[in-house]
Amino acid sequence: MSNLTFGIIKPDAVGKGVHGTIIQRILDNGFRIRGMKLIHQTRKQAEGFYEVHAGKPFYDELTEFMSSGPCVVLALEKENAVPAWRNLMGATNPAEADEGTLRKEFASSIGENAVHGSDSNENAAIEISYFFSQLELV
Ligand code: ADP
Ligand code: MG
């Protein structure tokens, strides 16, 4: 799965209506979209997805935010997809994100930071299977 990663266009970006622009940027950067859908997560789904962060001070805020509105979940294919997608996203805190990254352009805070990306090939596989069945990956 090293050519696949998992991404989310988070509720802040969908709420601002910039999800189309972000999808275009993804395509312009040479990713192939293997799976894509608009969903509105329940609090329980968001808590399960971010279980690794349970107990951290921002966990409640994060899971409330991620279940606050619709988001776009994506299975993305490219060579070295995990680092390639994290590079396009930029640093977690938009104040530290490089020019030209999605978080620099679209994120408003460290919490509401427009996009999610997997941090390893192993987590990419787990995260894709959290939201997509095999039949939904084309
Ligand atoms: P990344 O999304 O860049 O992999 P993390 O895995 O560290 O970052 O954190 C997951 C998400 O939790 C972040 O994208 C962000 O939405 C939120 N988050 C992380 N750190 C903070 C923080 N200090 N305050 C508020 N929210 C945070
Ligand atoms: Mg992370």
Side-chain angles (χ1 to χ4, degrees):
M1 293 271 274
S2 69
N3 291 334
L4 283 179
T5 192
F6 174 75
I8 304 178
I9 304 174
K10 294 186 179 185
D12 58 324
V14 174
K16 288 181 209 162
V18 296
H19 41 322
T21 307
I22 291 174
I23 291 165
Q24 188 63 56
R25 291 278 293 279
I26 289 168
L27 295 171
D28 290 345
N29 278 271
F31 291 89
R32 281 210 316 131
I33 296 175
R34 296 278 312 276
M36 175 165 67
K37 54 189 173 184
L38 184 73
I39 63 166
H40 187 154
Q41 293 185 74
T42 64
R43 185 74 182 258
K44 282 259 169 294
Q45 285 171 321
E47 286 172 355
F49 181 74
Y50 279 114
E51 199 173 11
V52 61
H53 294 302
K56 291 189 185 161
F58 57 84
Y59 181 68
D60 279 356
E61 176 190 328
L62 174 62
T63 55
E64 186 181 345
F65 163 58
M66 291 301 288
S67 57
S68 68
C71 65
V72 178
V73 288
L74 297 153
L76 301 174
E77 184 176 56
K78 192 181 180 179
E79 197 173 327
N80 295 318
V82 166
W85 173 229
R86 290 199 68 94
N87 284 342
L88 179 58
M89 289 199 304
T92 308
N93 184 350
E96 293 164 11
D98 290 338
E99 285 297 333
T101 64
L102 296 172
R103 281 169 165 169
K104 177 75 178 183
E105 192 169 344
F106 299 111
S108 45
S109 68
I110 190 169
E112 304 204 357
N113 59 2
V115 281
H116 164 85
S118 307
D119 60 9
S120 67
N121 291 335
E122 185 191 4
N123 283 335
I126 292 168
E127 291 175 3
I128 287 171
S129 66
Y130 193 80
F131 288 108
F132 292 100
S133 72
Q134 275 305 317
L135 282 172
E136 291 173 312
L137 299 174
V138 298

